[in-house]
Amino acid sequence: MVTCAEHLPARVGATIRCQVTTDSDTIGVTVTATAVNGTRVSYNLKADSKVG
């Protein structure tokens, strides 16, 4: 499951934080808008380094 506290703004460079949860783990993810074309937003995902 992916949970984000807010929607990603349709603006290049806009960034939000989300959490990805599986059965046994939760990891933070940074989502950054990389391009906007009308109502279509391209984005990049960068997961936090997993500790442990």
Side-chain angles (χ1 to χ4, degrees):
M1 174 174 21
V2 177
T3 306
C4 303
E6 59 188 311
H7 293 287
L8 180 64
R11 182 179 68 247
V12 173
T15 300
I16 62 170
R17 291 285 297 165
C18 299
Q19 290 185 330
V20 176
T21 303
T22 64
D23 290 336
S24 59
D25 292 312
T26 298
I27 192 162
V29 177
T30 300
V31 182
T32 304
T34 58
V36 178
N37 185 4
T39 59
R40 185 180 194 123
V41 178
S42 299
Y43 54 88
N44 182 51
L45 303 173
K46 181 171 172 116
D48 295 345
S49 296
K50 188 168 180 157
V51 177

